[in-house]
mmCIF file of all heavy atoms in Angstrom:
data_model
loop_
_atom_site.group_PDB
_atom_site.id
_atom_site.type_symbol
_atom_site.label_atom_id
_atom_site.label_comp_id
_atom_site.label_asym_id
_atom_site.label_seq_id
_atom_site.Cartn_x
_atom_site.Cartn_y
_atom_site.Cartn_z
ATOM 1 N N GLY A 1401 0.794 -1.216 0.005
ATOM 2 C CA GLY A 1401 0.007 -0.006 -0.006
ATOM 3 C C GLY A 1401 0.828 1.259 0.008
ATOM 4 O O GLY A 1401 0.275 2.349 -0.263
ATOM 5 N N ARG A 1402 2.110 1.163 0.304
ATOM 6 C CA ARG A 1402 3.000 2.320 0.328
ATOM 7 C C ARG A 1402 4.040 2.278 -0.802
ATOM 8 O O ARG A 1402 4.388 3.315 -1.344
ATOM 9 C CB ARG A 1402 3.721 2.426 1.668
ATOM 10 C CG ARG A 1402 2.789 2.593 2.857
ATOM 11 C CD ARG A 1402 3.578 2.917 4.128
ATOM 12 N NE ARG A 1402 4.492 1.850 4.483
ATOM 13 C CZ ARG A 1402 5.823 2.003 4.590
ATOM 14 N NH1 ARG A 1402 6.367 3.182 4.351
ATOM 15 N NH2 ARG A 1402 6.584 0.973 4.926
ATOM 16 N N PHE A 1403 4.529 1.096 -1.096
ATOM 17 C CA PHE A 1403 5.565 0.922 -2.104
ATOM 18 C C PHE A 1403 4.993 0.305 -3.367
ATOM 19 O O PHE A 1403 4.060 -0.516 -3.308
ATOM 20 C CB PHE A 1403 6.696 0.017 -1.602
ATOM 21 C CG PHE A 1403 7.539 0.604 -0.517
ATOM 22 C CD1 PHE A 1403 7.199 1.784 0.120
ATOM 23 C CD2 PHE A 1403 8.702 -0.056 -0.125
ATOM 24 C CE1 PHE A 1403 7.990 2.305 1.149
ATOM 25 C CE2 PHE A 1403 9.498 0.451 0.884
ATOM 26 C CZ PHE A 1403 9.150 1.635 1.515
ATOM 27 N N THR A 1404 5.531 0.695 -4.516
ATOM 28 C CA THR A 1404 5.111 0.143 -5.794
ATOM 29 C C THR A 1404 6.332 -0.200 -6.626
ATOM 30 O O THR A 1404 7.185 0.643 -6.857
ATOM 31 C CB THR A 1404 4.231 1.127 -6.568
ATOM 32 O OG1 THR A 1404 3.085 1.463 -5.802
ATOM 33 C CG2 THR A 1404 3.769 0.501 -7.887
ATOM 34 N N ILE A 1405 6.415 -1.449 -7.068
ATOM 35 C CA ILE A 1405 7.497 -1.878 -7.946
ATOM 36 C C ILE A 1405 6.978 -1.933 -9.375
ATOM 37 O O ILE A 1405 5.833 -2.300 -9.615
ATOM 38 C CB ILE A 1405 8.073 -3.242 -7.507
ATOM 39 C CG1 ILE A 1405 9.339 -3.573 -8.288
ATOM 40 C CG2 ILE A 1405 7.036 -4.343 -7.623
ATOM 41 C CD1 ILE A 1405 10.082 -4.798 -7.765
ATOM 42 N N SER A 1406 7.836 -1.575 -10.302
ATOM 43 C CA SER A 1406 7.481 -1.647 -11.731
ATOM 44 C C SER A 1406 8.745 -1.912 -12.527
ATOM 45 O O SER A 1406 9.860 -1.762 -12.028
ATOM 46 C CB SER A 1406 6.792 -0.353 -12.197
ATOM 47 O OG SER A 1406 7.664 0.768 -12.048
ATOM 48 N N ARG A 1407 8.575 -2.300 -13.773
ATOM 49 C CA ARG A 1407 9.730 -2.549 -14.640
ATOM 50 C C ARG A 1407 9.464 -2.076 -16.042
ATOM 51 O O ARG A 1407 8.315 -2.057 -16.516
ATOM 52 C CB ARG A 1407 10.112 -4.030 -14.634
ATOM 53 C CG ARG A 1407 9.099 -4.949 -15.289
ATOM 54 C CD ARG A 1407 9.417 -6.408 -15.016
ATOM 55 N NE ARG A 1407 10.691 -6.815 -15.607
ATOM 56 C CZ ARG A 1407 11.373 -7.891 -15.249
ATOM 57 N NH1 ARG A 1407 10.902 -8.683 -14.283
ATOM 58 N NH2 ARG A 1407 12.522 -8.200 -15.852
ATOM 59 N N ASP A 1408 10.525 -1.692 -16.702
ATOM 60 C CA ASP A 1408 10.482 -1.293 -18.103
ATOM 61 C C ASP A 1408 11.470 -2.181 -18.844
ATOM 62 O O ASP A 1408 12.684 -1.925 -18.808
ATOM 63 C CB ASP A 1408 10.824 0.197 -18.245
ATOM 64 C CG ASP A 1408 10.634 0.694 -19.675
ATOM 65 O OD1 ASP A 1408 10.633 -0.105 -20.618
ATOM 66 O OD2 ASP A 1408 10.501 1.930 -19.850
ATOM 67 N N ASN A 1409 10.975 -3.215 -19.479
ATOM 68 C CA ASN A 1409 11.861 -4.175 -20.124
ATOM 69 C C ASN A 1409 12.596 -3.582 -21.324
ATOM 70 O O ASN A 1409 13.685 -4.039 -21.667
ATOM 71 C CB ASN A 1409 11.066 -5.413 -20.562
ATOM 72 C CG ASN A 1409 10.694 -6.302 -19.401
ATOM 73 O OD1 ASN A 1409 11.165 -6.133 -18.284
ATOM 74 N ND2 ASN A 1409 9.828 -7.267 -19.658
ATOM 75 N N ALA A 1410 12.020 -2.574 -21.953
ATOM 76 C CA ALA A 1410 12.699 -1.899 -23.050
ATOM 77 C C ALA A 1410 13.935 -1.144 -22.581
ATOM 78 O O ALA A 1410 14.872 -0.932 -23.339
ATOM 79 C CB ALA A 1410 11.745 -0.965 -23.777
ATOM 80 N N LYS A 1411 13.916 -0.712 -21.331
ATOM 81 C CA LYS A 1411 15.031 0.035 -20.747
ATOM 82 C C LYS A 1411 15.885 -0.787 -19.795
ATOM 83 O O LYS A 1411 16.836 -0.254 -19.221
ATOM 84 C CB LYS A 1411 14.531 1.278 -20.030
ATOM 85 C CG LYS A 1411 13.845 2.292 -20.932
ATOM 86 C CD LYS A 1411 13.430 3.526 -20.148
ATOM 87 C CE LYS A 1411 12.803 4.571 -21.056
ATOM 88 N NZ LYS A 1411 12.388 5.774 -20.301
ATOM 89 N N ASN A 1412 15.541 -2.063 -19.623
ATOM 90 C CA ASN A 1412 16.262 -2.934 -18.682
ATOM 91 C C ASN A 1412 16.364 -2.302 -17.291
ATOM 92 O O ASN A 1412 17.404 -2.308 -16.650
ATOM 93 C CB ASN A 1412 17.647 -3.254 -19.198
ATOM 94 C CG ASN A 1412 17.639 -4.252 -20.343
ATOM 95 O OD1 ASN A 1412 16.574 -4.684 -20.804
ATOM 96 N ND2 ASN A 1412 18.813 -4.626 -20.825
ATOM 97 N N THR A 1413 15.242 -1.756 -16.835
ATOM 98 C CA THR A 1413 15.233 -1.018 -15.593
ATOM 99 C C THR A 1413 14.047 -1.412 -14.725
ATOM 100 O O THR A 1413 12.942 -1.594 -15.235
ATOM 101 C CB THR A 1413 15.209 0.501 -15.845
ATOM 102 O OG1 THR A 1413 16.359 0.876 -16.639
ATOM 103 C CG2 THR A 1413 15.247 1.281 -14.542
ATOM 104 N N VAL A 1414 14.273 -1.539 -13.428
ATOM 105 C CA VAL A 1414 13.211 -1.770 -12.474
ATOM 106 C C VAL A 1414 13.186 -0.600 -11.496
ATOM 107 O O VAL A 1414 14.231 -0.037 -11.172
ATOM 108 C CB VAL A 1414 13.409 -3.109 -11.732
ATOM 109 C CG1 VAL A 1414 14.693 -3.140 -10.925
ATOM 110 C CG2 VAL A 1414 12.186 -3.413 -10.839
ATOM 111 N N TYR A 1415 11.995 -0.236 -11.034
ATOM 112 C CA TYR A 1415 11.813 0.918 -10.169
ATOM 113 C C TYR A 1415 11.139 0.497 -8.875
ATOM 114 O O TYR A 1415 10.409 -0.466 -8.811
ATOM 115 C CB TYR A 1415 10.957 1.982 -10.854
ATOM 116 C CG TYR A 1415 11.474 2.428 -12.196
ATOM 117 C CD1 TYR A 1415 10.997 1.818 -13.355
ATOM 118 C CD2 TYR A 1415 12.413 3.431 -12.305
ATOM 119 C CE1 TYR A 1415 11.468 2.221 -14.599
ATOM 120 C CE2 TYR A 1415 12.872 3.846 -13.533
ATOM 121 C CZ TYR A 1415 12.403 3.246 -14.674
ATOM 122 O OH TYR A 1415 12.856 3.642 -15.909
ATOM 123 N N LEU A 1416 11.362 1.297 -7.843
ATOM 124 C CA LEU A 1416 10.642 1.152 -6.591
ATOM 125 C C LEU A 1416 10.195 2.546 -6.169
ATOM 126 O O LEU A 1416 11.013 3.370 -5.778
ATOM 127 C CB LEU A 1416 11.516 0.520 -5.503
ATOM 128 C CG LEU A 1416 10.800 0.250 -4.182
ATOM 129 C CD1 LEU A 1416 9.739 -0.839 -4.344
ATOM 130 C CD2 LEU A 1416 11.803 -0.118 -3.085
ATOM 131 N N HIS A 1417 8.898 2.791 -6.272
ATOM 132 C CA HIS A 1417 8.309 4.055 -5.783
ATOM 133 C C HIS A 1417 7.898 3.846 -4.345
ATOM 134 O O HIS A 1417 7.098 2.959 -4.023
ATOM 135 C CB HIS A 1417 7.101 4.408 -6.639
ATOM 136 C CG HIS A 1417 7.434 4.895 -7.997
ATOM 137 N ND1 HIS A 1417 7.733 4.032 -9.041
ATOM 138 C CD2 HIS A 1417 7.519 6.145 -8.524
ATOM 139 C CE1 HIS A 1417 7.980 4.715 -10.141
ATOM 140 N NE2 HIS A 1417 7.853 6.008 -9.842
ATOM 141 N N MET A 1418 8.401 4.685 -3.478
ATOM 142 C CA MET A 1418 8.133 4.600 -2.051
ATOM 143 C C MET A 1418 7.396 5.829 -1.590
ATOM 144 O O MET A 1418 7.873 6.947 -1.762
ATOM 145 C CB MET A 1418 9.441 4.428 -1.280
ATOM 146 C CG MET A 1418 10.273 3.231 -1.715
ATOM 147 S SD MET A 1418 11.785 3.019 -0.762
ATOM 148 C CE MET A 1418 12.699 4.477 -1.279
ATOM 149 N N ASN A 1419 6.228 5.626 -1.022
ATOM 150 C CA ASN A 1419 5.416 6.703 -0.490
ATOM 151 C C ASN A 1419 5.194 6.513 0.992
ATOM 152 O O ASN A 1419 5.385 5.429 1.531
ATOM 153 C CB ASN A 1419 4.048 6.753 -1.208
ATOM 154 C CG ASN A 1419 4.160 6.909 -2.708
ATOM 155 O OD1 ASN A 1419 3.652 6.096 -3.470
ATOM 156 N ND2 ASN A 1419 4.841 7.981 -3.134
ATOM 157 N N SER A 1420 4.753 7.582 1.648
ATOM 158 C CA SER A 1420 4.462 7.534 3.089
ATOM 159 C C SER A 1420 5.582 6.878 3.868
ATOM 160 O O SER A 1420 5.369 5.997 4.700
ATOM 161 C CB SER A 1420 3.132 6.787 3.318
ATOM 162 O OG SER A 1420 2.089 7.420 2.650
ATOM 163 N N LEU A 1421 6.795 7.325 3.613
ATOM 164 C CA LEU A 1421 7.972 6.708 4.214
ATOM 165 C C LEU A 1421 7.984 6.874 5.735
ATOM 166 O O LEU A 1421 7.576 7.922 6.245
ATOM 167 C CB LEU A 1421 9.227 7.276 3.601
ATOM 168 C CG LEU A 1421 9.540 6.727 2.203
ATOM 169 C CD1 LEU A 1421 10.537 7.625 1.481
ATOM 170 C CD2 LEU A 1421 10.087 5.310 2.303
ATOM 171 N N LYS A 1422 8.480 5.868 6.418
ATOM 172 C CA LYS A 1422 8.588 5.835 7.860
ATOM 173 C C LYS A 1422 10.050 5.690 8.247
ATOM 174 O O LYS A 1422 10.848 5.173 7.481
ATOM 175 C CB LYS A 1422 7.789 4.653 8.419
ATOM 176 C CG LYS A 1422 6.335 4.604 7.998
ATOM 177 C CD LYS A 1422 5.675 3.313 8.478
ATOM 178 C CE LYS A 1422 4.238 3.227 8.043
ATOM 179 N NZ LYS A 1422 3.604 1.970 8.509
ATOM 180 N N PRO A 1423 10.393 6.134 9.453
ATOM 181 C CA PRO A 1423 11.796 5.950 9.912
ATOM 182 C C PRO A 1423 12.273 4.501 9.846
ATOM 183 O O PRO A 1423 13.446 4.260 9.557
ATOM 184 C CB PRO A 1423 11.766 6.460 11.358
ATOM 185 C CG PRO A 1423 10.680 7.491 11.346
ATOM 186 C CD PRO A 1423 9.621 6.931 10.428
ATOM 187 N N GLU A 1424 11.379 3.540 10.076
ATOM 188 C CA GLU A 1424 11.758 2.148 10.008
ATOM 189 C C GLU A 1424 12.049 1.643 8.597
ATOM 190 O O GLU A 1424 12.510 0.514 8.419
ATOM 191 C CB GLU A 1424 10.698 1.243 10.670
ATOM 192 C CG GLU A 1424 9.304 1.481 10.151
ATOM 193 C CD GLU A 1424 8.477 2.392 11.054
ATOM 194 O OE1 GLU A 1424 9.015 3.422 11.499
ATOM 195 O OE2 GLU A 1424 7.304 2.050 11.302
ATOM 196 N N ASP A 1425 11.788 2.486 7.590
ATOM 197 C CA ASP A 1425 12.181 2.148 6.235
ATOM 198 C C ASP A 1425 13.654 2.435 5.957
ATOM 199 O O ASP A 1425 14.156 2.099 4.874
ATOM 200 C CB ASP A 1425 11.316 2.944 5.219
ATOM 201 C CG ASP A 1425 9.863 2.550 5.261
ATOM 202 O OD1 ASP A 1425 9.550 1.347 5.388
ATOM 203 O OD2 ASP A 1425 9.012 3.459 5.160
ATOM 204 N N THR A 1426 14.319 3.074 6.894
ATOM 205 C CA THR A 1426 15.726 3.405 6.727
ATOM 206 C C THR A 1426 16.563 2.143 6.576
ATOM 207 O O THR A 1426 16.528 1.249 7.425
ATOM 208 C CB THR A 1426 16.234 4.218 7.922
ATOM 209 O OG1 THR A 1426 15.552 5.478 7.957
ATOM 210 C CG2 THR A 1426 17.731 4.472 7.824
ATOM 211 N N ALA A 1427 17.315 2.052 5.502
ATOM 212 C CA ALA A 1427 18.118 0.865 5.214
ATOM 213 C C ALA A 1427 18.887 1.098 3.917
ATOM 214 O O ALA A 1427 18.632 2.044 3.181
ATOM 215 C CB ALA A 1427 17.230 -0.391 5.070
ATOM 216 N N VAL A 1428 19.791 0.180 3.641
ATOM 217 C CA VAL A 1428 20.388 0.098 2.303
ATOM 218 C C VAL A 1428 19.456 -0.773 1.460
ATOM 219 O O VAL A 1428 19.117 -1.895 1.860
ATOM 220 C CB VAL A 1428 21.793 -0.498 2.336
ATOM 221 C CG1 VAL A 1428 22.353 -0.652 0.919
ATOM 222 C CG2 VAL A 1428 22.720 0.395 3.156
ATOM 223 N N TYR A 1429 19.076 -0.281 0.316
ATOM 224 C CA TYR A 1429 18.155 -0.990 -0.568
ATOM 225 C C TYR A 1429 18.922 -1.600 -1.731
ATOM 226 O O TYR A 1429 19.727 -0.925 -2.383
ATOM 227 C CB TYR A 1429 17.075 -0.043 -1.095
ATOM 228 C CG TYR A 1429 16.015 0.243 -0.085
ATOM 229 C CD1 TYR A 1429 16.288 1.020 1.042
ATOM 230 C CD2 TYR A 1429 14.729 -0.280 -0.234
ATOM 231 C CE1 TYR A 1429 15.315 1.267 2.005
ATOM 232 C CE2 TYR A 1429 13.746 -0.027 0.701
ATOM 233 C CZ TYR A 1429 14.038 0.738 1.819
ATOM 234 O OH TYR A 1429 13.059 0.978 2.765
ATOM 235 N N TYR A 1430 18.668 -2.895 -1.949
ATOM 236 C CA TYR A 1430 19.382 -3.650 -2.975
ATOM 237 C C TYR A 1430 18.429 -4.147 -4.046
ATOM 238 O O TYR A 1430 17.347 -4.639 -3.749
ATOM 239 C CB TYR A 1430 20.079 -4.869 -2.365
ATOM 240 C CG TYR A 1430 21.142 -4.549 -1.356
ATOM 241 C CD1 TYR A 1430 20.840 -4.460 0.000
ATOM 242 C CD2 TYR A 1430 22.452 -4.323 -1.764
ATOM 243 C CE1 TYR A 1430 21.826 -4.169 0.931
ATOM 244 C CE2 TYR A 1430 23.451 -4.033 -0.841
ATOM 245 C CZ TYR A 1430 23.120 -3.940 0.502
ATOM 246 O OH TYR A 1430 24.089 -3.656 1.429
ATOM 247 N N CYS A 1431 18.845 -4.031 -5.268
ATOM 248 C CA CYS A 1431 18.147 -4.597 -6.403
ATOM 249 C C CYS A 1431 18.697 -5.984 -6.677
ATOM 250 O O CYS A 1431 19.905 -6.224 -6.525
ATOM 251 C CB CYS A 1431 18.351 -3.691 -7.632
ATOM 252 S SG CYS A 1431 17.715 -4.328 -9.183
ATOM 253 N N ALA A 1432 17.842 -6.933 -7.073
ATOM 254 C CA ALA A 1432 18.269 -8.305 -7.303
ATOM 255 C C ALA A 1432 17.475 -8.922 -8.457
ATOM 256 O O ALA A 1432 16.343 -8.514 -8.730
ATOM 257 C CB ALA A 1432 18.115 -9.152 -6.044
ATOM 258 N N ALA A 1433 18.068 -9.918 -9.093
ATOM 259 C CA ALA A 1433 17.450 -10.614 -10.232
ATOM 260 C C ALA A 1433 17.450 -12.113 -9.977
ATOM 261 O O ALA A 1433 18.451 -12.671 -9.545
ATOM 262 C CB ALA A 1433 18.208 -10.298 -11.527
ATOM 263 N N ALA A 1434 16.309 -12.756 -10.273
ATOM 264 C CA ALA A 1434 16.152 -14.201 -10.065
ATOM 265 C C ALA A 1434 15.512 -14.860 -11.272
ATOM 266 O O ALA A 1434 14.628 -14.281 -11.900
ATOM 267 C CB ALA A 1434 15.310 -14.478 -8.826
ATOM 268 N N LEU A 1435 15.959 -16.071 -11.586
ATOM 269 C CA LEU A 1435 15.356 -16.852 -12.661
ATOM 270 C C LEU A 1435 14.132 -17.616 -12.201
ATOM 271 O O LEU A 1435 13.275 -17.947 -13.017
ATOM 272 C CB LEU A 1435 16.383 -17.834 -13.233
ATOM 273 C CG LEU A 1435 17.456 -17.222 -14.124
ATOM 274 C CD1 LEU A 1435 18.522 -18.266 -14.439
ATOM 275 C CD2 LEU A 1435 16.854 -16.658 -15.398
ATOM 276 N N ALA A 1436 14.016 -17.924 -10.927
ATOM 277 C CA ALA A 1436 12.917 -18.684 -10.383
ATOM 278 C C ALA A 1436 11.946 -17.772 -9.624
ATOM 279 O O ALA A 1436 12.322 -16.712 -9.147
ATOM 280 C CB ALA A 1436 13.425 -19.781 -9.456
ATOM 281 N N LEU A 1437 10.700 -18.235 -9.512
ATOM 282 C CA LEU A 1437 9.696 -17.485 -8.780
ATOM 283 C C LEU A 1437 9.758 -17.861 -7.301
ATOM 284 O O LEU A 1437 8.919 -18.586 -6.774
ATOM 285 C CB LEU A 1437 8.290 -17.747 -9.350
ATOM 286 C CG LEU A 1437 7.153 -16.923 -8.765
ATOM 287 C CD1 LEU A 1437 7.447 -15.427 -8.901
ATOM 288 C CD2 LEU A 1437 5.847 -17.261 -9.439
ATOM 289 N N LYS A 1438 10.792 -17.360 -6.664
ATOM 290 C CA LYS A 1438 10.983 -17.516 -5.222
ATOM 291 C C LYS A 1438 11.275 -16.123 -4.698
ATOM 292 O O LYS A 1438 12.355 -15.842 -4.182
ATOM 293 C CB LYS A 1438 12.116 -18.505 -4.945
ATOM 294 C CG LYS A 1438 12.212 -18.956 -3.512
ATOM 295 C CD LYS A 1438 11.036 -19.826 -3.113
ATOM 296 C CE LYS A 1438 11.249 -20.386 -1.706
ATOM 297 N NZ LYS A 1438 10.088 -21.199 -1.282
ATOM 298 N N TYR A 1439 10.323 -15.280 -4.827
ATOM 299 C CA TYR A 1439 10.530 -13.837 -4.766
ATOM 300 C C TYR A 1439 10.922 -13.307 -3.401
ATOM 301 O O TYR A 1439 11.551 -12.228 -3.322
ATOM 302 C CB TYR A 1439 9.286 -13.083 -5.258
ATOM 303 C CG TYR A 1439 8.014 -13.429 -4.494
ATOM 304 C CD1 TYR A 1439 7.716 -12.791 -3.318
ATOM 305 C CD2 TYR A 1439 7.136 -14.365 -4.977
ATOM 306 C CE1 TYR A 1439 6.543 -13.085 -2.615
ATOM 307 C CE2 TYR A 1439 5.974 -14.678 -4.325
ATOM 308 C CZ TYR A 1439 5.685 -14.037 -3.122
ATOM 309 O OH TYR A 1439 4.543 -14.334 -2.433
ATOM 310 N N ASP A 1440 10.556 -13.982 -2.316
ATOM 311 C CA ASP A 1440 10.770 -13.430 -0.983
ATOM 312 C C ASP A 1440 11.981 -14.030 -0.272
ATOM 313 O O ASP A 1440 12.240 -13.669 0.889
ATOM 314 C CB ASP A 1440 9.540 -13.597 -0.113
ATOM 315 C CG ASP A 1440 9.078 -15.056 -0.003
ATOM 316 O OD1 ASP A 1440 9.535 -15.885 -0.801
ATOM 317 O OD2 ASP A 1440 8.254 -15.329 0.880
ATOM 318 N N ASP A 1441 12.750 -14.876 -0.935
ATOM 319 C CA ASP A 1441 13.936 -15.486 -0.336
ATOM 320 C C ASP A 1441 15.196 -14.918 -0.994
ATOM 321 O O ASP A 1441 15.415 -15.099 -2.174
ATOM 322 C CB ASP A 1441 13.933 -17.001 -0.500
ATOM 323 C CG ASP A 1441 12.859 -17.659 0.348
ATOM 324 O OD1 ASP A 1441 12.491 -17.112 1.396
ATOM 325 O OD2 ASP A 1441 12.380 -18.743 -0.047
ATOM 326 N N TRP A 1442 16.012 -14.250 -0.196
ATOM 327 C CA TRP A 1442 17.205 -13.600 -0.762
ATOM 328 C C TRP A 1442 18.146 -14.581 -1.421
ATOM 329 O O TRP A 1442 18.801 -14.267 -2.404
ATOM 330 C CB TRP A 1442 17.953 -12.811 0.344
ATOM 331 C CG TRP A 1442 18.527 -13.685 1.428
ATOM 332 C CD1 TRP A 1442 17.928 -14.002 2.612
ATOM 333 C CD2 TRP A 1442 19.780 -14.333 1.411
ATOM 334 N NE1 TRP A 1442 18.758 -14.805 3.346
ATOM 335 C CE2 TRP A 1442 19.911 -15.018 2.630
ATOM 336 C CE3 TRP A 1442 20.857 -14.374 0.491
ATOM 337 C CZ2 TRP A 1442 21.036 -15.777 2.952
ATOM 338 C CZ3 TRP A 1442 21.962 -15.117 0.808
ATOM 339 C CH2 TRP A 1442 22.042 -15.806 2.037
ATOM 340 N N TRP A 1443 18.202 -15.802 -0.892
ATOM 341 C CA TRP A 1443 19.142 -16.807 -1.386
ATOM 342 C C TRP A 1443 18.753 -17.368 -2.742
ATOM 343 O O TRP A 1443 19.558 -18.012 -3.403
ATOM 344 C CB TRP A 1443 19.320 -17.957 -0.390
ATOM 345 C CG TRP A 1443 18.006 -18.502 0.160
ATOM 346 C CD1 TRP A 1443 17.426 -18.182 1.349
ATOM 347 C CD2 TRP A 1443 17.141 -19.439 -0.476
ATOM 348 N NE1 TRP A 1443 16.233 -18.870 1.495
ATOM 349 C CE2 TRP A 1443 16.044 -19.657 0.401
ATOM 350 C CE3 TRP A 1443 17.192 -20.128 -1.686
ATOM 351 C CZ2 TRP A 1443 15.007 -20.520 0.096
ATOM 352 C CZ3 TRP A 1443 16.143 -20.998 -1.999
ATOM 353 C CH2 TRP A 1443 15.078 -21.179 -1.113
ATOM 354 N N ALA A 1444 17.541 -17.090 -3.186
ATOM 355 C CA ALA A 1444 17.086 -17.573 -4.495
ATOM 356 C C ALA A 1444 17.471 -16.648 -5.634
ATOM 357 O O ALA A 1444 17.299 -16.984 -6.796
ATOM 358 C CB ALA A 1444 15.567 -17.764 -4.487
#
């Protein structure tokens, strides 16, 4: 409800729109690519 992910395959780019940011959102944010649909596991 606060963040929105999108991609533009023509530009080889993925975006993360972040709204209503909270102090607990403070972190280093990493982009990652996976061949399998195991979207919530970093090791995949």
Side-chain angles (χ1 to χ4, degrees):
R1402 299 189 298 120
F1403 291 9
T1404 302
I1405 188 171
S1406 62
R1407 67 191 296 162
D1408 187 339
N1409 286 349
K1411 296 182 177 180
N1412 286 2
T1413 302
V1414 62
Y1415 305 94
L1416 184 68
H1417 288 80
M1418 304 182 292
N1419 302 124
S1420 301
L1421 284 163
K1422 306 174 181 179
E1424 52 262 44
D1425 294 320
T1426 296
V1428 176
Y1429 283 70
Y1430 297 92
C1431 174
L1435 285 171
L1437 186 56
K1438 192 68 174 178
Y1439 57 84
D1440 57 345
D1441 291 332
W1442 65 267
W1443 47 262

